[in-house]
Amino acid sequence: MSPLDISLADLIARLDEELPDTDELARISEARLRAQTLSDLGDQLIDHYVSKAKQVGASWTEIGDAIGVSKQAAQQRHAPGPFERYTNLNRHSIVLAQEAARTHKHDSIGTEHLLLGLLGEPRGLAYEVLVAKTESEQRVRDAIAEALPPTGKKALRGHIAFRPESKEAIGQARRAAADLGHDWVGTEHALLGLIRVEESPAAQILRDLGFTSDELHETVRTEIANRLAARGE
C-alpha cells in the first residue's frame, strides 16, 4: 500500500480529464513533465527532513543510513544549498518555475520563469503583492507571456539549469531577507530578489507593471510587520 493518499489511477484520471482532446503522444510528454515535478517535490521533501535531522544533531552517517546511501552521498546530495532557508511555498514556486521552463521547452530557467512560479503560488505573499498592485493576475501573466522566449522544439530531459541572472536573483532573495532581519526566505523575498537584478527580464516586467525596488521593499516590510503583529494579538 502506498503511504501517500494518491494512486496511479488518480494521476491518470486527472491527466485525461485535463487533456481530453490530445492524442496519446501528447499525453506522454505531459506525463513526463508531471513525473519530473513529482520527482523534484520528492527531493525537496527529503531535504526538509534532512534539515530537521541536522538541527537535532543527527550525523551524516545516520542520515545516510536512513536514506539508504553512504555518508558521502548523503552529504553531497543534501548539504545546505541555495534554497536552505526557503519556505515551503517558495520552494514550490521554484518547482513551478522549473515546470514552466519544461512546458515551454526552454533549455534554462530564467527570471521570467521564476516570476511565473511566484504567480503560480496564490498562498504566497508575492502573489498578493503582485495582484494588489496590478489589480489583475491575468495582467501579470500576459506581461510575462510577452517576455518569454519562443517555445522550443524539444523538451529537455533531466535537470534544467538556472541562467546566471536567475542565480543572482536567488542570491538577492537571501540578501533581501537578511536586510529585513528575517530568518526565512519567502516568496516575498524572492520577488524582491527579482527586481534587484535590474537588467533581468523579470525586473523589466515588474517595472513595466509599475513596481519600483524601494516601493516593493517597503510594501514587503510593512506587510510582514502587520502579519507578525496580528499573530501577537
Side-chain angles (χ1 to χ4, degrees):
M1 180 180 294
S2 170
L4 298 178
D5 187 20
I6 189 171
S7 68
L8 176 60
D10 294 330
L11 294 172
I12 292 173
R14 180 170 175 178
L15 195 153
D16 287 346
E17 180 182 350
E18 293 179 3
L19 302 174
D21 301 322
T22 58
D23 60 25
E24 299 307 321
L25 291 177
R27 294 186 187 191
I28 289 174
S29 297
E30 180 62 24
R32 188 184 63 78
L33 292 174
R34 297 189 184 197
Q36 184 61 52
T37 297
L38 288 171
S39 177
D40 291 338
L41 285 171
D43 287 342
Q44 291 188 23
L45 177 65
I46 296 172
D47 287 343
H48 172 78
Y49 285 104
V50 167
S51 177
K52 292 288 187 182
K54 290 299 293 180
Q55 289 174 13
V56 298
S59 69
W60 281 112
T61 299
E62 292 171 321
I63 291 171
D65 289 342
I67 298 173
V69 299
S70 69
K71 167 188 173 181
Q72 291 77 12
Q75 193 167 10
Q76 288 174 2
R77 182 171 180 179
H78 299 286
F83 307 120
E84 173 68 12
R85 293 187 293 114
Y86 269 43
T87 62
N88 289 338
L89 295 183
N90 206 8
R91 288 173 184 266
H92 185 227
S93 79
I94 295 295
V95 172
L96 293 176
Q98 294 170 337
E99 188 173 354
R102 292 184 195 282
T103 299
H104 290 87
K105 300 178 182 178
H106 295 156
D107 60 4
S108 58
I109 300 170
T111 57
E112 62 273 32
H113 300 112
L114 294 177
L115 184 57
L116 197 57
L118 293 175
L119 195 63
E121 184 40 90
R123 297 170 296 173
L125 180 53
Y127 176 91
E128 294 183 20
V129 171
L130 286 166
V131 174
K133 176 76 170 180
T134 62
E135 300 182 343
S136 169
E137 176 185 332
Q138 191 58 49
R139 183 184 172 197
V140 184
R141 289 193 177 278
D142 290 344
I144 297 172
E146 290 181 7
L148 283 172
T151 300
K153 297 182 179 179
K154 185 177 181 180
L156 291 183
R157 295 175 181 240
H159 176 70
I160 299 181
F162 290 97
R163 293 180 200 157
E165 63 267 26
S166 296
K167 292 180 180 179
E168 183 180 352
I170 290 168
Q172 288 290 349
R174 295 196 301 272
R175 295 186 188 97
D179 291 345
L180 290 165
H182 300 155
D183 60 1
W184 73 92
V185 184
T187 61
E188 63 276 14
H189 303 115
L191 187 60
L192 286 171
L194 289 173
I195 202 170
R196 287 184 175 191
V197 186
E198 296 183 354
E199 300 304 318
S200 70
Q204 184 61 57
I205 293 169
L206 291 170
R207 288 194 296 270
D208 288 346
L209 290 171
F211 289 94
T212 66
S213 183
D214 289 343
E215 177 196 16
L216 188 55
H217 183 277
E218 183 60 23
T219 298
V220 168
R221 187 194 67 77
T222 301
E223 286 296 325
I224 292 294
N226 290 341
R227 292 186 177 199
L228 292 176
R231 290 177 188 174
E233 293 178 353

